[in-house]
């Protein structure tokens, strides 16, 4: 176990491979060429790094036509990368301007396939305050009233439980240093907001735009003021 841990940590610790993993937190699949551009390395070097990550089962590859698309091999890899970001030292002093005006990536973003940043944490806080979710031994659980709430909201809990992945878990937010929701429930909640046009993705970024409709609905359902 110790040897395997060291091997995995060494793989991720390489600057180029770390940049690849950070890029893939976007939640989309990328071609080798796209990753080469994103992390500023040659196609030959990218091929070597992707080979090592595939061998370690940290990435998977899917072929569509002439292209190969790379993504995390499973959701747990994404959680690990996001959690590692929490090791980044937080600035000791922040100016008033910095604390009042969040950069878009810290204000509202994706964490692989769920909502993160200040808004993601605020939504989670609201669900806890409304007793829709309850915290139990550092885990999240859905209360009995929460089951009705999710059903009324249009999320099928039974179907979510059948997915071959973690159902519901807290995910430590690297910019807020507090938990947001991950797992199949977090993914379904985020997709609902995207499909209902509360939120919109931005090109080549994990930052998320909140629409005018989203501002109203976030206030209505979660008492979150944008």
């Amino acid at each position: 176990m110790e040897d395997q841990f060291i091997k995995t940590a060494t793989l991720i610790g390489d600057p180029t491979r770390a940049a690849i993993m950070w890029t893939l937190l976007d939640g989309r699949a990328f071609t080798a060429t796209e990753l080469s551009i994103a992390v500023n390395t040659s196609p030959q070097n990218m091929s070597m790094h992707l080979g090592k990550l595939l061998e370690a089962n940290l990435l998977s590859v899917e072929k569509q036509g002439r292209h190969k698309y790379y993504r995390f091999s499973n959701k747990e890899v994404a959680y690990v990368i996001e959690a590692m970001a929490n090791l980044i030292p937080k600035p000791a002093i922040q100016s008033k301007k910095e604390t009042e005006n969040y950069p878009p990536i810290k204000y509202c973003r994706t964490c692989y396939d769920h909502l993160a940043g200040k808004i993601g944490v605020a939504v989670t806080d609201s669900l806890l305050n409304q007793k829709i979710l309850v915290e139990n031994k550092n885990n999240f659980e859905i209360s009995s009233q929460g089951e009705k709430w999710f059903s009324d909201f249009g999320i099928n809990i039974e179907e979510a439980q059948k997915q071959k992945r973690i159902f519901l878990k807290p995910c430590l937010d690297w910019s807020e240093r507090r938990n947001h929701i991950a797992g199949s429930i977090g993914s379904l909640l985020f997709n609902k907001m995207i499909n209902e046009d509360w939120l919109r993705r931005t090109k080549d970024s994990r930052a998320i735009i909140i629409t005018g409709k989203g501002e109203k609905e976030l206030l209505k359902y979660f008492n979150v003021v944008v």
Side-chain angles (χ1 to χ4, degrees), residues 57-60 71-79 112:
N57 197 34
L58 295 175
L59 300 185
S60 63
R71 64 173 77 244
F72 291 137
S73 58
N74 56 64
K75 312 290 184 184
E76 283 64 40
V77 177
Y79 301 152
Y112 197 60

Side-chain angles (χ1 to χ4, degrees), residues 93-225:
I93 300 176
Q94 289 184 312
S95 68
K96 184 177 181 181
K97 183 177 180 180
E98 288 175 328
T99 56
E100 289 182 352
N101 300 313
Y102 273 68
I105 197 68
K106 291 185 176 182
Y107 187 70
C108 189
R109 68 176 182 277
T110 55
C111 174
Y112 197 60
D113 63 353
H114 52 271
L115 192 64
K118 182 179 180 181
I119 296 300
V121 170
V123 166
T124 301
D125 285 346
S126 173
L127 292 174
L128 289 168
N129 290 335
Q130 295 182 67
K131 308 300 182 184
I132 294 166
L133 298 182
V134 292
E135 201 163 5
N136 183 17
K137 296 180 180 178
N138 298 319
N139 284 309
F140 288 155
E141 296 177 356
I142 297 177
S143 66
S144 54
Q145 73 181 65
E147 292 179 4
K148 182 179 184 306
W149 186 92
F150 277 105
S151 177
D152 293 342
F153 194 69
I155 291 178
N156 190 319
I157 293 178
E158 290 185 1
E159 288 299 319
Q161 289 174 324
K162 293 177 183 177
Q163 294 184 16
K164 295 181 179 179
R165 60 173 297 185
I166 294 172
F167 172 64
L168 174 65
K169 66 169 286 183
C171 182
L172 189 58
D173 195 284
W174 64 263
S175 57
E176 293 296 301
R177 307 301 170 104
R178 297 172 58 225
N179 288 323
H180 58 246
I181 303 170
S184 58
I185 288 295
S187 178
L188 289 169
L189 192 61
F190 173 67
N191 289 335
K192 167 82 173 180
M193 294 179 182
I194 288 287
N195 294 335
E196 295 291 329
D197 197 35
W198 298 15
L199 309 175
R200 292 177 187 168
R201 298 180 185 272
T202 55
K203 186 178 180 181
D204 300 325
S205 175
R206 291 167 58 199
I208 294 293
I209 296 171
I210 303 172
T211 66
K213 179 182 179 182
E215 291 184 16
K216 295 177 182 177
E217 300 296 344
L218 286 171
L219 179 61
K220 175 182 175 182
Y221 286 96
F222 304 102
N223 198 31
V224 171
V225 178

Side-chain angles (χ1 to χ4, degrees), residues 6-125:
I6 293 172
K7 182 179 179 181
T8 302
T10 301
L11 273 169
I12 298 174
D14 176 88
T16 299
R17 290 192 287 271
I20 292 170
M21 304 298 272
W22 185 254
T23 301
L24 290 173
L25 264 180
D26 181 272
R28 297 175 295 166
F30 287 78
T31 66
T33 300
E34 290 170 333
L35 287 170
S36 296
I37 295 170
V39 307
N40 193 28
T41 191
S42 69
Q44 295 80 7
N45 196 38
M46 176 58 61
S47 178
M48 180 269 291
H49 287 298
L50 289 175
K52 290 186 176 182
L53 292 169
L54 286 169
E55 184 181 0
N57 197 34
L58 295 175
L59 300 185
S60 63
V61 61
E62 179 181 343
K63 189 173 183 179
Q64 291 187 8
R66 296 183 296 109
H67 299 290
K68 291 181 178 179
Y69 292 89
Y70 297 85
R71 64 173 77 244
F72 291 137
S73 58
N74 56 64
K75 312 290 184 184
E76 283 64 40
V77 177
Y79 301 152
V80 169
I81 301 303
E82 178 78 8
M84 286 176 64
N86 286 281
L87 299 176
I88 301 171
K90 198 169 185 178
I93 300 176
Q94 289 184 312
S95 68
K96 184 177 181 181
K97 183 177 180 180
E98 288 175 328
T99 56
E100 289 182 352
N101 300 313
Y102 273 68
I105 197 68
K106 291 185 176 182
Y107 187 70
C108 189
R109 68 176 182 277
T110 55
C111 174
Y112 197 60
D113 63 353
H114 52 271
L115 192 64
K118 182 179 180 181
I119 296 300
V121 170
V123 166
T124 301
D125 285 346

